[in-house]
Amino acid sequence: SNQVTCVFEDSRGRLWAGLADGGLVRFDAAREAFALFGTEQGLPSNAVMSLVEDQRGQLWVATNGGLGVLDERTNRFRTFYESDGV
């Protein structure tokens, strides 16, 4: 499903939309570009529930399969699971 579950604007002005089963979409208005992130990019699950940005500007994504943090240098997620204490 491409139902939007959450929307977030980060400190750089990019708009993020979490999808019920379609991963995560980023719209960068400055570049007029969309990007799609999913399990292929390390997201723990394509079912996104919540988004938040920490004090360092890192995007954290809660999914039904675990927690992911985006590495902006590689555009890949580092994942944390229940076994990691999350």
Side-chain angles (χ1 to χ4, degrees):
S1 165
N2 287 330
Q3 177 183 1
V4 175
T5 57
C6 52
V7 176
F8 179 76
E9 182 178 359
D10 68 18
S11 60
R12 297 180 192 143
R14 299 175 300 185
L15 189 61
W16 299 83
L19 305 176
D21 195 31
L24 183 64
V25 178
R26 177 183 68 202
F27 176 64
D28 188 338
R31 295 182 180 169
E32 297 183 356
F34 284 92
L36 179 64
F37 299 89
T39 55
E40 300 83 17
Q41 291 75 34
L43 199 60
S45 165
N46 284 327
V48 176
M49 299 183 303
S50 182
L51 305 166
V52 69
E53 184 177 33
D54 67 18
Q55 293 175 338
R56 294 183 291 180
Q58 293 180 297
L59 182 71
W60 290 81
V61 181
T63 74
N64 70 349
L67 184 65
V69 61
L70 181 61
D71 181 338
E72 291 276 353
R73 295 170 290 137
T74 63
N75 274 332
R76 294 199 49 84
F77 284 86
R78 178 173 176 215
T79 59
F80 300 90
Y81 301 99
E82 197 171 330
S83 60
D84 296 314
V86 174

